[in-house]
């Protein structure tokens, strides 16, 4: 079975201070060896498998902690931690996707 080419671009906003710094705590524990690489993370209603390097996870965690929102790009139950959105293009999972529809 192949993975669908459709992606979702999700915007998340931390509702508490602890939620704002949760990814930093995960990155720190992972980096010092207190926990293994996270295989799945529950983010709101989404149970996702993060894909990407430890450095990419750190970059995501820092952006999330110091901004008021974060963008998650998912495909199926996989989340590309190094994904980015540039205008109407999404760079994720080693490909470029056209951003065709945005639901708010």
């Amino acid at each position: 079975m192949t993975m669908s080419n459709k992606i979702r671009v999700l915007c998340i906003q931390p509702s508490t201070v602890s939620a704002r710094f949760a990814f930093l705590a995960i990155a720190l524990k992972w980096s010092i060896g207190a926990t293994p690489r996270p295989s799945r993370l529950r983010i709101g209603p989404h149970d996702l498998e993060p894909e990407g390097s430890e450095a990419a996870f750190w970059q995501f965690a820092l952006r999330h902690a110091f901004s008021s929102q974060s963008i998650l790009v998912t495909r199926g139950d996989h989340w590309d931690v190094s994904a980015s959105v540039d205008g109407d293009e999404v760079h994720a999972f080693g490909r470029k996707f056209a951003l065709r529809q945005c639901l708010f």
Side-chain angles (χ1 to χ4, degrees):
M1 177 155 77
T2 62
M3 188 179 294
S4 169
N5 285 333
K6 291 185 180 183
I7 61 169
R8 290 183 299 173
V9 178
L10 306 170
C11 179
I12 60 171
Q13 296 178 316
S15 58
T16 64
V17 173
S18 63
R20 191 172 191 162
F21 294 98
F23 293 112
L24 274 179
I26 293 167
L28 180 62
K29 289 177 184 176
W30 176 16
S31 291
I32 64 173
T35 60
R37 172 189 176 90
S39 61
R40 300 200 69 80
L41 292 172
R42 186 137 189 83
I43 304 168
H46 308 283
D47 183 24
L48 302 170
E49 180 180 333
E51 292 184 9
S53 67
E54 184 177 353
F57 192 87
W58 266 104
Q59 289 174 336
F60 173 82
L62 288 166
R63 280 193 312 268
H64 182 76
F66 295 110
S67 70
S68 60
Q69 65 183 14
S70 291
I71 301 295
L72 301 181
V73 178
T74 67
R75 182 168 58 184
D77 65 348
H78 297 267
W79 162 37
D80 184 345
V81 298
S82 61
S84 64
V85 178
D86 182 24
D88 63 350
E89 280 190 345
V90 178
H91 303 270
F93 301 103
R95 295 184 48 202
K96 289 182 186 177
F97 296 88
L99 189 59
R100 300 192 192 284
Q101 189 176 51
C102 200
L103 303 174
F104 293 96

